[in-house]
Amino acid sequence: VQLALRDRVLANSVRSNRNIERSNLLMESVHARARRQAIFALRALDLLIENETITLAIKNIEKHKQLAYAFEALETLPDTDLVRPLIRLWEHTGSTVSNDNFPWDEGLIDDDAWIRACSAFAIPPQKYTELLEKTAKSDPDELVRETAKYTLAGGTMKTLKTLPMMERILFMQKIPLFAEMSPEDLKKVASVATEKFFPDGDYLARKGDTGHEMYIVISGELLIISETGEEIARTPPGGYAGEMAILSQEPRSASVLAKG
């Protein structure tokens, strides 16, 4: 319980600085860990009191189902003083606070490599240059080191040919298909994604092909073409195509062409 509530305070201390998306990624990641700690605490309580109410509530919380009913049920338990603070972890977090109280030095040495990476991504580089330099050289995790180097270099995508992992995660967060995923789960998706470049008119897929990939547009468009060569639709940046062939395990229902 103490670990969960400590992370709630940490998450709420993240200030929206030079890049609100990066700050929010850190805030959401710490909130997600707080909720995991809360689940552990509820499971421990379940072992102690063996109450079907708490067992069902935990299942619903983990599946994001009937949360209001789950929290109402938890409020009826004898240990309400222990449980009530945990319930607040699922309340709307709102915007980040106006004062920067986040302990960046602690964030960059957190036991969780993902929290360290998010800290290195969101930290104000001019103010914490020495901390970032140390992280870039000595952190045991490659993603953390690369993120620290990227932030030190100015952290801009304008001169990059490919998206760094952390920028890729921010990009995917904006796509409706992934909007409900936690930052750490999104990291798993981003880590298996690869970037490809297609000249105008290149086919990414043809009707009837077996589908093993889906495509997310970073820049340019995808043209969805019927069997007769007619343009059915266009997929703009942030859009995606080809997912149905993966989900249905059926041949591609249309061809996909690159534009821009």
Side-chain angles (χ1 to χ4, degrees):
V1 172
Q2 288 176 344
L3 288 170
L5 298 182
R6 178 183 180 274
D7 272 346
R8 184 174 191 263
V9 171
L10 273 180
N12 289 335
S13 72
V14 179
R15 179 174 67 90
S16 175
N17 51 50
R18 64 199 176 94
N19 191 314
I20 191 170
E21 292 180 338
R22 298 183 186 190
S23 301
N24 284 342
L25 183 66
L26 173 59
M27 181 182 68
E28 290 166 17
S29 297
V30 179
H31 267 299
R33 185 171 68 179
R35 289 168 180 163
R36 289 197 300 272
Q37 299 283 16
I39 291 289
F40 293 152
L42 291 173
R43 283 178 179 162
L45 189 61
D46 190 25
L47 290 173
L48 291 170
I49 65 176
E50 296 182 353
N51 187 313
E52 282 189 20
T53 298
I54 192 169
T55 305
L56 181 59
I58 291 170
K59 286 182 180 178
N60 285 337
I61 291 170
E62 289 182 319
K63 294 178 180 178
H64 303 284
K65 290 170 58 180
Q66 299 179 316
L67 290 181
Y69 294 109
F71 297 146
E72 283 181 18
L74 291 175
E75 290 273 16
T76 67
L77 294 173
D79 293 273
T80 52
D81 289 342
L82 191 69
V83 172
R84 192 174 289 119
L86 298 178
I87 294 174
R88 290 203 295 269
L89 293 169
W90 279 267
E91 293 174 352
H92 177 62
T93 55
S95 59
T96 50
V97 297
S98 57
N99 297 314
D100 185 2
N101 297 318
F102 187 81
W104 296 105
D105 54 340
E106 292 181 26
L108 290 176
I109 60 169
D110 194 279
D111 290 340
D112 187 334
W114 173 245
I115 300 298
R116 298 201 305 276
C118 290
S119 298
F121 198 40
I123 193 171
Q126 296 85 359
K127 194 174 178 181
Y128 298 97
T129 303
E130 288 186 16
L131 276 175
L132 273 173
E133 289 175 344
K134 182 179 178 181
T135 300
K137 290 178 182 177
S138 61
D139 195 276
D141 186 88
E142 182 181 2
L143 176 60
V144 179
R145 294 195 305 273
E146 292 304 313
T147 302
K149 291 174 186 176
Y150 177 63
T151 302
L152 281 168
T156 174
M157 293 188 294
K158 291 180 181 178
T159 60
L160 297 174
K161 292 183 178 179
T162 59
L163 294 179
M165 172 69 78
M166 301 302 284
E167 294 285 3
R168 191 179 297 186
I169 292 167
L170 288 186
F171 181 80
M172 286 186 166
Q173 272 192 320
K174 301 172 187 175
I175 299 169
L177 187 66
F178 305 117
E180 297 302 316
M181 294 183 71
S182 71
E184 282 197 86
D185 285 339
L186 199 53
K187 172 178 173 277
K188 295 171 187 175
V189 177
S191 67
V192 297
T194 56
E195 286 180 61
K196 295 184 179 180
F197 301 84
F198 298 91
D200 285 359
D202 264 22
Y203 280 91
L204 282 75
R206 293 180 183 268
K207 178 178 168 59
D209 288 350
T210 302
H212 298 298
E213 307 177 307
M214 65 171 285
Y215 305 97
I216 302 166
V217 183
I218 295 174
S219 62
E221 294 179 302
L222 296 180
L223 308 185
I224 313 302
I225 308 296
S226 70
E227 193 170 11
T228 61
E230 179 184 359
E231 183 182 312
I232 303 171
R234 292 191 175 209
T235 305
Y240 51 89
E243 77 285 357
M244 290 310 299
I246 298 175
L247 296 173
S248 66
Q249 296 293 297
E250 294 180 357
R252 302 279 191 195
S253 58
S255 298
V256 183
L257 278 174
K259 180 178 175 62

